[in-house]
Amino acid sequence: MGVCSLDDVLFPDVDVRLEAVEFTAGASIVVATACGPPPRCPGCRVRAWRVHSSYTRSLAERSLSGRKLLVRLRVRRFFCDRSQCRRRTFVEQVGGLGESHRRSSLGLKTWLRQVAVELGGRAG
């Protein structure tokens, strides 16, 4: 299987749609939208269908060609319609790209962990 598009390079096996790529003096900015199936509520595990709203998260990503890379990811907030559930709304998590409350991508987290292991805890 070969590389077909920029989506394949930046987001392999991740449910996002690439909207735009912007280049500034300090960084490359990738604008993407989560487009996976409706998620399950983290409280009661019932699949959500109603969208409450959406907002943009910013995630730091591994550098690309020596330039800082920032991902602006639009995610959806869903209602949990189950009356017994404590949660009323929740945000979809894009598996393979980010985690809840995290400002960096999983790829950057893994890369930094590998650098720390190689250095054996010594300062970079």
Side-chain angles (χ1 to χ4, degrees):
M1 184 171 118
V3 174
C4 299
S5 66
L6 190 56
D7 283 358
D8 296 333
V9 173
L10 295 174
F11 309 116
D13 302 322
V14 179
D15 288 330
V16 296
R17 182 178 60 242
L18 184 64
E19 300 289 339
V21 179
E22 303 167 5
F23 298 99
T24 64
S28 299
I29 301 170
V30 174
V31 181
T33 302
C35 60
R40 294 187 182 275
C41 172
C44 65
R45 304 304 300 157
V46 171
R47 188 164 302 279
W49 297 103
R50 289 193 312 142
V51 176
H52 176 277
S53 59
S54 65
Y55 72 95
T56 302
R57 294 179 61 188
S58 292
L59 299 171
E61 179 59 275
R62 294 167 287 192
S63 62
L64 182 65
S65 298
R67 292 177 55 93
K68 181 179 174 181
L69 182 61
L70 181 67
V71 177
R72 291 210 176 118
L73 179 64
R74 178 160 291 283
V75 292
R76 300 169 288 185
R77 177 173 289 281
F78 286 88
F79 285 105
C80 180
D81 291 326
R82 189 165 178 244
S83 60
Q84 296 88 0
C85 185
R86 293 182 317 121
R87 288 183 173 251
R88 295 290 164 229
T89 64
F90 62 94
V91 176
E92 68 182 325
Q93 299 300 318
V94 179
L97 187 58
E99 294 174 328
S100 181
H101 305 291
R102 186 164 197 84
R103 291 187 178 171
S104 60
S105 71
L106 293 177
L108 180 59
K109 176 184 170 183
T110 303
W111 181 74
L112 290 172
R113 182 177 290 133
Q114 290 171 346
V115 168
V117 167
E118 285 294 319
L119 292 173
R122 296 183 311 268

